[in-house]
Amino acid sequence: MAHIRITSYGTGHDDAPTALDPVVVDTTALHNPPDDPAVRATLTQLTGRHPDVAAYVLATPGAHHLIDTARRLVEQRIADGEQHIDVHVHCYGGRHRSVAIAELLAADLSVLDDYVHTHHRHINQPILPARTPA
């Protein structure tokens, strides 16, 4: 039985999780509620655990592929005999995209006969100011 630890976090904070060779899932290309004026007022104060936020994030082309790819990488590590697998799911603020994808990935992986633990490192942090283009 493998132990799978999924950690969501925001790269805009200065305390990213550490682990030896984690599976890394970058959700920064997905739709972000704070960046979208059409949903900012209704979704920004919610988190990725809310079904409306999850649906919004999943509506991004490629979102399901991102989850499927991460699931296959974890399944391969289990098949290779790894007992402890860390999965780091990140976005910028750690409240919306990374949380939604981490939750959905955890649900997908829970059908395996393995222990899946999810931790959302920055879910309760204030919303970060918008990034300025470089």
Side-chain angles (χ1 to χ4, degrees), residues 5-134:
R5 180 175 44 200
I6 301 173
T7 304
S8 74
Y9 67 101
T11 57
H13 300 279
D14 292 328
D15 61 342
T18 58
L20 183 63
D21 194 27
V23 172
V24 177
V25 182
D26 180 354
T27 69
T28 56
L30 303 179
H31 294 311
N32 187 23
D35 294 341
D36 184 346
V39 299
R40 184 180 300 134
T42 57
L43 298 184
T44 298
Q45 297 306 315
L46 303 173
T47 71
R49 284 186 167 158
H50 193 280
D52 291 346
V53 174
Y56 176 82
V57 171
L58 279 176
T60 308
H64 290 280
H65 177 72
L66 193 65
I67 295 167
D68 292 343
T69 299
R71 185 190 69 247
R72 283 194 304 275
L73 289 170
V74 170
E75 289 171 340
Q76 183 59 54
R77 289 184 179 208
I78 292 169
D80 291 344
E82 286 190 41
Q83 295 298 307
H84 299 280
I85 302 163
D86 282 291
V87 181
H88 292 173
V89 184
H90 69 85
C91 61
Y92 179 62
R95 292 177 45 96
H96 301 102
R97 295 168 292 178
S98 63
V99 172
I101 297 301
E103 289 287 324
L104 293 161
L105 179 59
D108 276 2
L109 292 171
S110 69
V111 301
L112 303 174
D113 190 21
D114 296 288
Y115 175 74
V116 178
H117 172 76
T118 305
H119 173 67
H120 302 297
R121 193 173 198 125
H122 299 125
I123 194 169
N124 294 318
Q125 296 296 313
I127 296 170
L128 294 175
R131 292 174 288 177
T132 55

